[in-house]
Coordinates of all heavy atoms in Angstrom, one line a residue:
M28 N -134.6 55.7 -14.7 CA -134.6 55.1 -13.4 C -136.0 55.4 -12.7 O -136.5 54.6 -12.0 CB -133.5 55.7 -12.5 CG -133.6 55.2 -11.1 SD -132.4 55.9 -10.0 CE -133.1 57.4 -9.7
S29 N -136.5 56.6 -13.0 CA -137.8 57.0 -12.4 C -138.9 56.1 -12.7 O -139.7 55.7 -11.9 CB -138.2 58.4 -12.8 OG -137.2 59.4 -12.4
I30 N -139.0 55.7 -14.0 CA -140.0 54.8 -14.4 C -139.9 53.5 -13.8 O -140.9 52.9 -13.3 CB -140.0 54.7 -16.0 CG1 -140.4 56.1 -16.6 CG2 -141.0 53.6 -16.4 CD1 -140.2 56.2 -18.1
E31 N -138.7 53.0 -13.7 CA -138.5 51.7 -13.1 C -138.9 51.7 -11.6 O -139.5 50.8 -11.1 CB -137.0 51.2 -13.2 CG -136.5 51.1 -14.6 CD -137.3 50.1 -15.5 OE1 -137.9 49.2 -14.9 OE2 -137.2 50.2 -16.7
M32 N -138.5 52.8 -10.9 CA -138.9 52.9 -9.5 C -140.4 53.0 -9.3 O -141.0 52.3 -8.5 CB -138.3 54.2 -8.9 CG -138.6 54.4 -7.4 SD -138.7 56.1 -6.9 CE -139.9 56.8 -8.0
L33 N -141.1 53.7 -10.2 CA -142.5 53.9 -10.1 C -143.3 52.6 -10.3 O -144.3 52.4 -9.7 CB -143.0 55.0 -11.1 CG -142.6 56.4 -10.7 CD1 -143.0 57.3 -11.8 CD2 -143.3 56.8 -9.4
V34 N -142.8 51.7 -11.1 CA -143.4 50.4 -11.4 C -142.9 49.3 -10.5 O -143.3 48.2 -10.6 CB -143.4 50.0 -12.9 CG1 -144.1 51.0 -13.8 CG2 -142.0 49.8 -13.3
G35 N -142.1 49.7 -9.5 CA -141.6 48.7 -8.5 C -140.5 47.9 -9.0 O -140.2 46.8 -8.4
E36 N -139.8 48.2 -10.1 CA -138.7 47.4 -10.6 C -137.4 48.0 -10.0 O -136.6 48.6 -10.7 CB -138.7 47.5 -12.1 CG -139.8 46.7 -12.7 CD -139.8 45.2 -12.5 OE1 -138.7 44.7 -12.4 OE2 -140.8 44.6 -12.5
A37 N -137.2 47.8 -8.7 CA -136.1 48.4 -8.0 C -134.7 47.9 -8.6 O -133.8 48.7 -8.7 CB -136.1 48.1 -6.5
V38 N -134.6 46.7 -8.9 CA -133.3 46.1 -9.4 C -132.9 46.8 -10.7 O -131.8 47.3 -10.9 CB -133.4 44.6 -9.5 CG1 -132.1 44.1 -10.2 CG2 -133.6 43.9 -8.2
E39 N -133.9 46.9 -11.6 CA -133.6 47.6 -12.9 C -133.4 49.1 -12.7 O -132.5 49.6 -13.3 CB -134.8 47.4 -13.8 CG -134.6 47.9 -15.2 CD -133.4 47.3 -16.0 OE1 -132.9 46.2 -15.6 OE2 -132.9 47.9 -16.9
G40 N -134.1 49.7 -11.8 CA -133.8 51.1 -11.5 C -132.4 51.3 -11.0 O -131.8 52.3 -11.3
L41 N -132.0 50.5 -10.1 CA -130.6 50.6 -9.5 C -129.6 50.3 -10.6 O -128.5 51.0 -10.7 CB -130.4 49.6 -8.4 CG -131.2 50.0 -7.1 CD1 -131.1 48.8 -6.1 CD2 -130.7 51.3 -6.5
R42 N -129.9 49.4 -11.5 CA -128.9 49.1 -12.6 C -128.8 50.4 -13.5 O -127.7 50.8 -13.9 CB -129.4 47.9 -13.5 CG -128.4 47.5 -14.6 CD -129.0 46.6 -15.6 NE -130.1 47.2 -16.4 CZ -129.8 48.0 -17.4 NH1 -128.6 48.4 -17.7 NH2 -130.8 48.5 -18.1
V43 N -129.9 51.0 -13.8 CA -129.9 52.2 -14.7 C -129.2 53.3 -13.9 O -128.4 54.1 -14.5 CB -131.4 52.6 -15.1 CG1 -131.4 54.0 -15.7 CG2 -132.0 51.6 -16.0
A44 N -129.5 53.5 -12.6 CA -128.9 54.6 -11.8 C -127.4 54.4 -11.8 O -126.7 55.5 -11.8 CB -129.4 54.5 -10.4
G45 N -126.9 53.2 -11.8 CA -125.4 53.0 -11.8 C -124.7 53.5 -13.1 O -123.5 53.7 -13.1
Q46 N -125.5 53.8 -14.1 CA -124.9 54.3 -15.4 C -125.0 55.8 -15.5 O -124.6 56.4 -16.5 CB -125.7 53.6 -16.5 CG -125.5 52.1 -16.5 CD -126.4 51.5 -17.6 OE1 -127.1 52.1 -18.3 NE2 -126.4 50.1 -17.6
I47 N -125.6 56.5 -14.5 CA -125.8 57.9 -14.6 C -124.7 58.6 -13.8 O -124.5 58.3 -12.6 CB -127.2 58.3 -14.1 CG1 -128.3 57.6 -14.9 CG2 -127.4 59.8 -14.0 CD1 -129.7 57.7 -14.4
D48 N -124.1 59.6 -14.4 CA -123.1 60.5 -13.7 C -123.9 61.7 -13.2 O -124.2 62.6 -13.9 CB -122.1 60.9 -14.7 CG -121.0 61.8 -14.1 OD1 -121.0 62.0 -12.9 OD2 -120.2 62.3 -14.9
T49 N -124.1 61.6 -11.9 CA -124.9 62.7 -11.2 C -124.1 64.0 -11.2 O -124.8 65.1 -10.9 CB -125.4 62.3 -9.8 OG1 -124.3 62.0 -9.0 CG2 -126.3 61.1 -9.9
S50 N -122.8 64.0 -11.3 CA -122.1 65.2 -11.2 C -122.4 66.1 -12.4 O -122.1 67.3 -12.4 CB -120.6 65.0 -11.2 OG -120.1 64.4 -12.4
R51 N -123.0 65.6 -13.4 CA -123.4 66.3 -14.6 C -124.8 66.9 -14.5 O -125.2 67.6 -15.4 CB -123.2 65.5 -15.8 CG -121.8 64.9 -15.9 CD -121.6 64.2 -17.2 NE -120.9 65.2 -18.0 CZ -120.6 65.0 -19.3 NH1 -120.9 63.9 -19.9 NH2 -120.0 65.9 -20.0
L52 N -125.5 66.6 -13.5 CA -126.9 67.1 -13.4 C -126.8 68.6 -13.1 O -126.0 69.0 -12.3 CB -127.6 66.4 -12.2 CG -128.0 64.9 -12.5 CD1 -128.6 64.3 -11.2 CD2 -128.9 64.7 -13.7
P53 N -127.6 69.4 -13.8 CA -127.5 70.8 -13.8 C -127.9 71.6 -12.5 O -127.6 72.7 -12.3 CB -128.3 71.3 -15.0 CG -129.3 70.2 -15.1 CD -128.7 68.9 -14.7
S54 N -128.7 70.9 -11.7 CA -129.2 71.7 -10.5 C -129.3 70.8 -9.3 O -129.3 69.6 -9.4 CB -130.6 72.2 -10.8 OG -131.5 71.2 -10.9
R55 N -129.3 71.4 -8.1 CA -129.5 70.7 -6.9 C -130.8 70.0 -6.8 O -130.9 68.9 -6.3 CB -129.4 71.7 -5.7 CG -128.0 71.9 -5.2 CD -127.9 72.6 -3.9 NE -129.2 73.2 -3.5 CZ -129.2 74.1 -2.5 NH1 -128.2 74.4 -1.8 NH2 -130.4 74.6 -2.2
E56 N -131.8 70.6 -7.4 CA -133.2 70.0 -7.4 C -133.1 68.7 -8.2 O -133.7 67.7 -7.7 CB -134.2 71.0 -8.1 CG -135.6 70.4 -8.1 CD -136.5 71.4 -8.8 OE1 -137.0 72.2 -8.1 OE2 -136.8 71.2 -10.0
R57 N -132.5 68.6 -9.3 CA -132.4 67.4 -10.0 C -131.5 66.3 -9.3 O -131.8 65.2 -9.3 CB -131.8 67.6 -11.4 CG -132.9 68.3 -12.3 CD -132.5 68.3 -13.7 NE -133.4 69.1 -14.5 CZ -133.4 69.2 -15.8 NH1 -132.4 68.7 -16.5 NH2 -134.3 69.9 -16.4
Q58 N -130.5 66.8 -8.6 CA -129.6 65.9 -7.8 C -130.5 65.3 -6.7 O -130.4 64.2 -6.4 CB -128.4 66.6 -7.3 CG -127.4 67.0 -8.3 CD -126.3 67.8 -7.8 OE1 -126.3 68.2 -6.6 NE2 -125.3 68.1 -8.6
F59 N -131.3 66.2 -6.1 CA -132.1 65.8 -5.0 C -133.1 64.7 -5.4 O -133.3 63.7 -4.8 CB -132.8 67.0 -4.3 CG -133.7 66.6 -3.2 CD1 -133.2 66.4 -1.9 CD2 -135.1 66.3 -3.4 CE1 -134.0 66.0 -0.9 CE2 -135.9 65.9 -2.4 CZ -135.4 65.8 -1.1
T60 N -133.8 65.0 -6.5 CA -134.8 64.1 -7.1 C -134.2 62.7 -7.4 O -134.7 61.7 -7.1 CB -135.5 64.7 -8.3 OG1 -136.1 65.9 -7.9 CG2 -136.5 63.7 -8.9
F61 N -133.0 62.8 -8.1 CA -132.4 61.5 -8.4 C -132.0 60.8 -7.1 O -132.2 59.6 -7.0 CB -131.1 61.8 -9.2 CG -130.3 60.6 -9.6 CD1 -130.6 59.9 -10.7 CD2 -129.2 60.2 -8.8 CE1 -129.9 58.7 -11.0 CE2 -128.5 59.0 -9.1 CZ -128.9 58.3 -10.2
G62 N -131.4 61.4 -6.1 CA -131.1 60.8 -4.9 C -132.2 60.2 -4.1 O -132.2 59.1 -3.6
L63 N -133.4 60.9 -4.2 CA -134.6 60.4 -3.5 C -135.1 59.2 -4.2 O -135.5 58.2 -3.5 CB -135.6 61.5 -3.5 CG -136.9 61.2 -2.7 CD1 -136.6 61.0 -1.3 CD2 -137.9 62.4 -2.9
E64 N -135.1 59.2 -5.5 CA -135.5 58.0 -6.2 C -134.6 56.8 -6.0 O -135.0 55.7 -6.0 CB -135.7 58.3 -7.7 CG -136.9 59.3 -7.9 CD -137.1 59.8 -9.3 OE1 -136.2 59.5 -10.2 OE2 -138.1 60.4 -9.6
L65 N -133.3 57.1 -6.0 CA -132.3 56.1 -5.7 C -132.6 55.5 -4.3 O -132.5 54.3 -4.1 CB -130.9 56.7 -5.8 CG -129.7 55.7 -5.7 CD1 -129.9 54.6 -6.8 CD2 -128.5 56.5 -5.9
A66 N -132.8 56.3 -3.3 CA -133.1 55.9 -2.0 C -134.4 55.0 -2.0 O -134.4 54.0 -1.3 CB -133.3 57.0 -1.0
R67 N -135.4 55.4 -2.8 CA -136.6 54.6 -2.8 C -136.4 53.3 -3.5 O -137.0 52.3 -3.0 CB -137.7 55.4 -3.6 CG -139.0 54.7 -3.8 CD -139.6 54.4 -2.5 NE -140.9 53.7 -2.7 CZ -141.4 52.8 -1.9 NH1 -140.8 52.4 -0.8 NH2 -142.5 52.2 -2.2
C68 N -135.5 53.2 -4.5 CA -135.2 51.9 -5.1 C -134.6 50.9 -4.0 O -135.0 49.8 -3.9 CB -134.3 52.0 -6.2 SG -135.1 52.6 -7.7
H69 N -133.7 51.5 -3.2 CA -133.1 50.7 -2.1 C -134.2 50.3 -1.1 O -134.2 49.2 -0.5 CB -131.9 51.4 -1.5 CG -130.7 51.4 -2.3 ND1 -129.9 50.2 -2.6 CD2 -130.1 52.4 -3.0 CE1 -128.9 50.5 -3.4 NE2 -129.0 51.8 -3.6
D70 N -135.1 51.3 -0.8 CA -136.1 51.1 0.2 C -137.0 49.9 -0.3 O -137.4 49.1 0.5 CB -136.9 52.3 0.3 CG -138.0 52.3 1.4 OD1 -137.6 51.9 2.6 OD2 -139.2 52.5 1.1
L71 N -137.3 49.9 -1.6 CA -138.2 48.8 -2.1 C -137.5 47.4 -1.9 O -138.2 46.4 -1.7 CB -138.4 49.0 -3.6 CG -139.4 50.2 -3.9 CD1 -139.4 50.4 -5.4 CD2 -140.8 49.9 -3.4
R72 N -136.2 47.4 -1.8 CA -135.4 46.2 -1.6 C -135.1 45.9 -0.2 O -134.4 45.0 0.2 CB -134.2 46.2 -2.5 CG -134.5 46.2 -4.0 CD -133.2 46.1 -4.8 NE -132.3 45.2 -4.4 CZ -132.2 43.9 -4.7 NH1 -133.2 43.4 -5.4 NH2 -131.3 43.1 -4.3
R73 N -135.5 46.8 0.7 CA -135.3 46.8 2.1 C -133.7 46.8 2.4 O -133.3 46.1 3.4 CB -135.9 45.6 2.8 CG -137.4 45.5 2.7 CD -138.0 46.6 3.6 NE -139.4 46.4 3.8 CZ -140.3 47.2 3.3 NH1 -140.0 48.3 2.6 NH2 -141.6 47.1 3.6
E74 N -133.0 47.6 1.7 CA -131.6 47.7 1.9 C -131.4 49.0 2.7 O -131.1 50.1 2.2 CB -130.9 47.8 0.5 CG -131.0 46.6 -0.3 CD -130.5 46.7 -1.7 OE1 -130.3 47.8 -2.2 OE2 -130.3 45.6 -2.3
D75 N -131.6 48.8 4.0 CA -131.7 49.9 5.0 C -130.4 50.8 5.0 O -130.5 52.0 5.1 CB -132.1 49.4 6.4 CG -133.5 48.8 6.4 OD1 -134.3 49.1 5.5 OD2 -133.8 48.0 7.3
A76 N -129.3 50.1 5.0 CA -128.0 50.9 5.1 C -127.9 51.8 3.9 O -127.6 53.0 4.0 CB -126.8 50.0 5.2
A77 N -128.2 51.3 2.7 CA -128.2 52.2 1.5 C -129.2 53.3 1.6 O -128.9 54.4 1.1 CB -128.4 51.3 0.3
V78 N -130.4 53.0 2.0 CA -131.4 54.0 2.2 C -130.9 55.1 3.1 O -131.0 56.3 2.7 CB -132.7 53.4 2.7 CG1 -133.8 54.5 3.0 CG2 -133.3 52.4 1.8
L79 N -130.4 54.8 4.2 CA -129.9 55.7 5.2 C -128.8 56.6 4.5 O -128.7 57.8 4.7 CB -129.4 55.1 6.4 CG -128.8 56.0 7.5 CD1 -129.8 57.0 8.0 CD2 -128.3 55.2 8.7
V80 N -127.8 56.0 3.9 CA -126.7 56.7 3.2 C -127.3 57.7 2.2 O -126.8 58.9 2.3 CB -125.7 55.7 2.5 CG1 -124.8 56.5 1.6 CG2 -125.0 55.0 3.6
H81 N -128.2 57.4 1.4 CA -128.8 58.3 0.4 C -129.6 59.4 1.1 O -129.5 60.5 0.7 CB -129.6 57.5 -0.6 CG -128.7 56.7 -1.5 ND1 -127.8 57.2 -2.4 CD2 -128.6 55.4 -1.6 CE1 -127.2 56.3 -3.0 NE2 -127.6 55.1 -2.6
L82 N -130.3 59.1 2.1 CA -131.1 60.1 2.8 C -130.1 61.1 3.5 O -130.4 62.3 3.5 CB -132.0 59.5 3.9 CG -133.2 58.7 3.3 CD1 -133.9 57.9 4.4 CD2 -134.1 59.6 2.5
L83 N -129.0 60.6 4.1 CA -128.1 61.5 4.7 C -127.4 62.4 3.6 O -127.2 63.6 3.9 CB -127.0 60.8 5.5 CG -127.6 60.1 6.8 CD1 -126.5 59.2 7.4 CD2 -128.1 61.1 7.8
D84 N -127.2 61.8 2.5 CA -126.6 62.6 1.3 C -127.6 63.7 0.9 O -127.2 64.9 0.7 CB -126.3 61.8 0.1 CG -125.0 60.9 0.3 OD1 -124.3 61.2 1.3 OD2 -124.9 60.0 -0.5
L85 N -128.9 63.4 0.9 CA -129.9 64.3 0.5 C -130.0 65.4 1.6 O -130.3 66.6 1.2 CB -131.3 63.6 0.4 CG -131.4 62.7 -0.8 CD1 -132.7 61.9 -0.8 CD2 -131.2 63.4 -2.1
E86 N -129.8 65.1 2.8 CA -129.8 66.1 3.9 C -128.8 67.1 3.6 O -129.0 68.3 3.9 CB -129.7 65.5 5.2 CG -129.8 66.4 6.4 CD -129.6 65.8 7.7 OE1 -128.9 64.8 7.8 OE2 -130.2 66.4 8.7
E87 N -127.6 66.7 3.1 CA -126.5 67.6 2.8 C -126.9 68.5 1.6 O -126.5 69.7 1.6 CB -125.2 66.9 2.6 CG -124.6 66.3 3.8 CD -123.3 65.6 3.5 OE1 -122.6 65.9 2.5 OE2 -122.9 64.7 4.3
I88 N -127.5 67.9 0.6 CA -127.8 68.7 -0.6 C -128.9 69.7 -0.3 O -128.8 70.9 -0.7 CB -128.3 67.7 -1.7 CG1 -127.1 66.8 -2.1 CG2 -128.9 68.5 -2.9 CD1 -127.6 65.7 -3.1
A89 N -130.0 69.3 0.3 CA -131.2 70.2 0.5 C -132.0 69.7 1.7 O -133.0 69.0 1.5 CB -132.0 70.2 -0.8
P90 N -131.6 70.1 2.9 CA -132.3 69.6 4.1 C -133.7 70.1 4.1 O -134.6 69.3 4.6 CB -131.5 70.2 5.3 CG -130.6 71.3 4.7 CD -130.4 70.9 3.2
E91 N -134.0 71.3 3.6 CA -135.4 71.7 3.6 C -136.3 70.9 2.7 O -137.4 70.7 3.0 CB -135.5 73.2 3.3 CG -135.0 73.6 1.9 CD -133.5 73.6 1.7 OE1 -132.7 73.5 2.6 OE2 -133.1 73.5 0.5
D92 N -135.7 70.5 1.6 CA -136.5 69.7 0.6 C -136.7 68.3 1.2 O -137.8 67.7 1.1 CB -135.8 69.5 -0.7 CG -135.8 70.8 -1.5 OD1 -136.6 71.7 -1.2 OD2 -134.9 71.0 -2.4
L93 N -135.8 67.8 1.9 CA -135.9 66.5 2.6 C -137.0 66.5 3.6 O -137.8 65.6 3.7 CB -134.6 66.0 3.2 CG -134.5 64.6 3.7 CD1 -134.7 63.6 2.7 CD2 -133.2 64.4 4.5
A94 N -137.0 67.5 4.4 CA -138.0 67.7 5.4 C -139.4 67.8 4.9 O -140.4 67.4 5.5 CB -137.7 68.9 6.3
R95 N -139.6 68.4 3.7 CA -140.9 68.7 3.1 C -141.4 67.5 2.2 O -142.5 67.4 1.9 CB -140.9 69.9 2.3 CG -140.9 71.2 3.1 CD -141.1 72.4 2.3 NE -140.1 72.6 1.2 CZ -139.1 73.5 1.2 NH1 -139.1 74.3 2.2 NH2 -138.3 73.6 0.3
S96 N -140.5 66.6 1.8 CA -140.8 65.6 0.9 C -141.6 64.5 1.6 O -141.1 63.8 2.5 CB -139.6 65.0 0.3 OG -139.9 63.7 -0.4
A97 N -142.8 64.2 1.1 CA -143.7 63.2 1.7 C -143.0 61.8 1.6 O -143.1 61.0 2.5 CB -145.1 63.2 1.1
L98 N -142.4 61.6 0.4 CA -141.8 60.3 0.2 C -140.6 60.1 1.1 O -140.4 59.1 1.7 CB -141.3 60.2 -1.3 CG -140.5 58.9 -1.7 CD1 -141.3 57.7 -1.4 CD2 -140.1 59.0 -3.1
A99 N -139.8 61.1 1.3 CA -138.6 61.0 2.2 C -139.1 60.8 3.6 O -138.5 60.0 4.3 CB -137.8 62.3 2.1
R100 N -140.1 61.6 4.0 CA -140.6 61.4 5.4 C -141.1 60.0 5.6 O -140.8 59.4 6.7 CB -141.6 62.5 5.7 CG -141.0 63.9 5.8 CD -141.9 65.0 6.0 NE -143.2 64.7 6.4 CZ -144.2 65.5 6.3 NH1 -144.1 66.7 5.9 NH2 -145.4 65.2 6.7
S101 N -141.8 59.5 4.7 CA -142.4 58.2 4.8 C -141.2 57.1 4.9 O -141.3 56.2 5.7 CB -143.3 57.9 3.6 OG -143.7 56.5 3.6
M102 N -140.2 57.3 4.0 CA -139.1 56.3 4.1 C -138.4 56.4 5.4 O -138.0 55.4 6.0 CB -138.1 56.6 2.9 CG -138.6 56.0 1.6 SD -137.3 56.1 0.4 CE -137.1 57.8 0.1
I103 N -138.2 57.6 5.9 CA -137.4 57.8 7.2 C -138.2 57.2 8.3 O -137.6 56.5 9.2 CB -137.2 59.3 7.5 CG1 -136.2 59.9 6.4 CG2 -136.6 59.5 8.9 CD1 -136.1 61.4 6.4
L104 N -139.5 57.4 8.4 CA -140.3 56.9 9.5 C -140.4 55.3 9.4 O -140.4 54.6 10.4 CB -141.7 57.5 9.5 CG -141.7 59.0 9.9 CD1 -143.1 59.6 9.7 CD2 -141.2 59.2 11.3
D105 N -140.5 54.8 8.2 CA -140.5 53.3 8.0 C -139.1 52.8 8.4 O -139.1 51.7 9.0 CB -140.8 53.0 6.6 CG -142.3 53.2 6.2 OD1 -143.1 53.4 7.1 OD2 -142.6 53.2 5.0
L106 N -138.1 53.5 8.0 CA -136.8 53.0 8.3 C -136.6 53.0 9.9 O -136.0 52.0 10.4 CB -135.7 54.0 7.7 CG -134.3 53.6 7.7 CD1 -134.0 52.3 7.0 CD2 -133.5 54.7 7.0
Q107 N -137.1 54.0 10.5 CA -136.9 54.0 12.0 C -137.6 52.8 12.6 O -137.1 52.3 13.6 CB -137.6 55.3 12.5 CG -137.3 55.5 14.0 CD -137.8 56.9 14.4 OE1 -138.9 57.3 13.9 NE2 -137.2 57.5 15.4
K108 N -138.7 52.3 12.1 CA -139.4 51.1 12.6 C -138.6 49.8 12.4 O -138.8 48.9 13.3 CB -140.8 51.0 12.0 CG -141.7 52.1 12.3 CD -143.0 52.0 11.6 CE -143.9 53.2 11.7 NZ -145.0 53.2 10.9
R109 N -137.9 49.7 11.4 CA -137.3 48.4 11.0 C -135.8 48.4 11.1 O -135.2 47.3 10.9 CB -137.8 48.0 9.7 CG -137.3 48.8 8.5 CD -137.7 48.1 7.2 NE -137.0 48.8 6.1 CZ -137.5 49.7 5.3 NH1 -138.8 50.1 5.5 NH2 -136.8 50.3 4.4
V110 N -135.1 49.5 11.3 CA -133.6 49.5 11.1 C -133.0 48.7 12.2 O -133.5 48.6 13.3 CB -133.1 51.0 11.2 CG1 -133.2 51.6 12.5 CG2 -131.7 51.1 10.6
R111 N -131.8 48.1 11.9 CA -131.0 47.4 12.8 C -130.4 48.3 13.9 O -130.2 49.5 13.6 CB -129.9 46.7 12.1 CG -130.4 45.6 11.2 CD -129.2 45.0 10.5 NE -129.7 44.0 9.6 CZ -128.9 43.1 9.0 NH1 -127.6 43.1 9.2 NH2 -129.4 42.2 8.2
P112 N -130.2 47.8 15.0 CA -129.6 48.6 16.1 C -128.3 49.3 15.7 O -128.1 50.4 16.2 CB -129.3 47.6 17.2 CG -130.3 46.5 17.0 CD -130.4 46.4 15.5
T113 N -127.6 48.8 14.8 CA -126.3 49.4 14.3 C -126.6 50.8 13.8 O -125.8 51.7 13.9 CB -125.7 48.6 13.2 OG1 -125.5 47.2 13.7 CG2 -124.3 49.1 12.8
F114 N -127.7 51.0 13.1 CA -128.0 52.3 12.4 C -129.1 53.1 13.1 O -129.4 54.2 12.7 CB -128.4 52.0 11.0 CG -127.4 51.3 10.2 CD1 -127.7 50.0 9.8 CD2 -126.2 51.9 9.8 CE1 -126.8 49.3 9.0 CE2 -125.3 51.2 9.1 CZ -125.6 49.9 8.7
R115 N -129.7 52.5 14.2 CA -130.8 53.2 14.8 C -130.6 54.6 15.3 O -131.3 55.5 15.1 CB -131.3 52.3 16.0 CG -132.6 52.9 16.6 CD -133.3 51.9 17.5 NE -133.9 50.8 16.6 CZ -133.7 49.5 16.8 NH1 -132.9 49.1 17.8 NH2 -134.2 48.6 16.0
R116 N -129.4 54.8 15.9 CA -129.1 56.1 16.4 C -129.0 57.2 15.3 O -129.5 58.3 15.4 CB -127.7 56.1 17.2 CG -127.3 57.4 17.7 CD -128.3 57.8 18.8 NE -127.9 59.2 19.3 CZ -128.7 59.9 20.0 NH1 -129.9 59.5 20.4 NH2 -128.3 61.1 20.3
R117 N -128.4 56.8 14.2 CA -128.3 57.7 13.0 C -129.7 58.1 12.5 O -129.9 59.2 12.1 CB -127.4 57.2 12.0 CG -126.0 57.0 12.6 CD -124.9 57.0 11.6 NE -124.8 58.3 10.9 CZ -124.0 58.4 9.8 NH1 -123.3 57.4 9.5 NH2 -124.0 59.5 9.2
V118 N -130.6 57.1 12.4 CA -131.9 57.3 11.9 C -132.7 58.2 12.9 O -133.4 59.1 12.5 CB -132.7 56.0 11.7 CG1 -134.1 56.2 11.3 CG2 -132.0 55.2 10.6
T119 N -132.6 57.9 14.2 CA -133.2 58.7 15.2 C -132.7 60.2 15.1 O -133.5 61.1 15.2 CB -132.9 58.1 16.6 OG1 -133.5 56.8 16.6 CG2 -133.6 59.0 17.7
D120 N -131.4 60.4 15.0 CA -130.9 61.7 14.9 C -131.5 62.4 13.7 O -131.8 63.6 13.7 CB -129.3 61.7 14.8 CG -128.7 61.3 16.1 OD1 -129.3 61.2 17.1 OD2 -127.4 60.9 16.0
L121 N -131.6 61.7 12.5 CA -132.1 62.3 11.3 C -133.6 62.7 11.6 O -134.0 63.8 11.2 CB -132.0 61.3 10.2 CG -132.6 61.8 8.8 CD1 -131.9 63.0 8.3 CD2 -132.5 60.7 7.8
T122 N -134.4 61.8 12.2 CA -135.8 62.2 12.4 C -135.9 63.4 13.3 O -136.8 64.3 13.2 CB -136.6 61.0 13.1 OG1 -136.0 60.6 14.3 CG2 -136.6 59.8 12.1
Q123 N -135.0 63.5 14.3 CA -135.0 64.7 15.2 C -134.6 66.0 14.5 O -135.2 67.0 14.7 CB -134.1 64.4 16.4 CG -134.7 63.4 17.3 CD -133.7 63.0 18.5 OE1 -132.6 63.4 18.5 NE2 -134.2 62.3 19.4
R124 N -133.6 65.9 13.7 CA -133.1 67.1 12.9 C -134.2 67.6 12.0 O -134.4 68.8 11.8 CB -131.9 66.8 12.1 CG -130.6 66.7 12.9 CD -129.4 66.7 12.1 NE -129.3 65.6 11.1 CZ -128.8 64.4 11.3 NH1 -128.4 64.1 12.5 NH2 -128.8 63.5 10.4
L125 N -135.0 66.6 11.4 CA -136.1 67.0 10.5 C -137.4 67.2 11.2 O -138.4 67.5 10.5 CB -136.2 65.9 9.4 CG -135.0 65.7 8.5 CD1 -135.3 64.5 7.6 CD2 -134.6 66.9 7.8
Q126 N -137.4 67.1 12.5 CA -138.5 67.3 13.4 C -139.7 66.4 13.0 O -140.9 66.8 12.8 CB -139.0 68.8 13.4 CG -137.9 69.7 13.9 CD -138.2 71.1 13.8 OE1 -139.2 71.5 13.2 NE2 -137.3 72.0 14.3
L127 N -139.4 65.1 12.8 CA -140.4 64.1 12.4 C -140.9 63.3 13.6 O -141.8 62.5 13.5 CB -139.8 63.1 11.4 CG -139.4 63.7 10.0 CD1 -138.8 62.7 9.1 CD2 -140.5 64.5 9.4
V128 N -140.4 63.6 14.8 CA -140.8 62.9 16.0 C -141.8 63.7 16.8 O -141.9 64.9 16.7 CB -139.6 62.5 16.9 CG1 -139.0 61.2 16.4 CG2 -138.6 63.6 17.0

């Protein structure tokens, strides 16, 4: 999935991700990396609701890693600019919790 994401093949990355059982990943760090890359694949497709869901999941797994990740911060700030009103409050809350505002 990582390679597909890096070359901008979000659809293929999401297809591959759907075949991976993350409960078998040995560490929180690997779960975090997988979730971040999954969020990025959705971000490439502008699937804002899915991006938000994965970012919120990452916040539960490792909030400190989420706050320090340049990719995550970039996605969150971009999401804040374009998100629909339905999700705006949740994105704003996330940016405040991570002190990105």
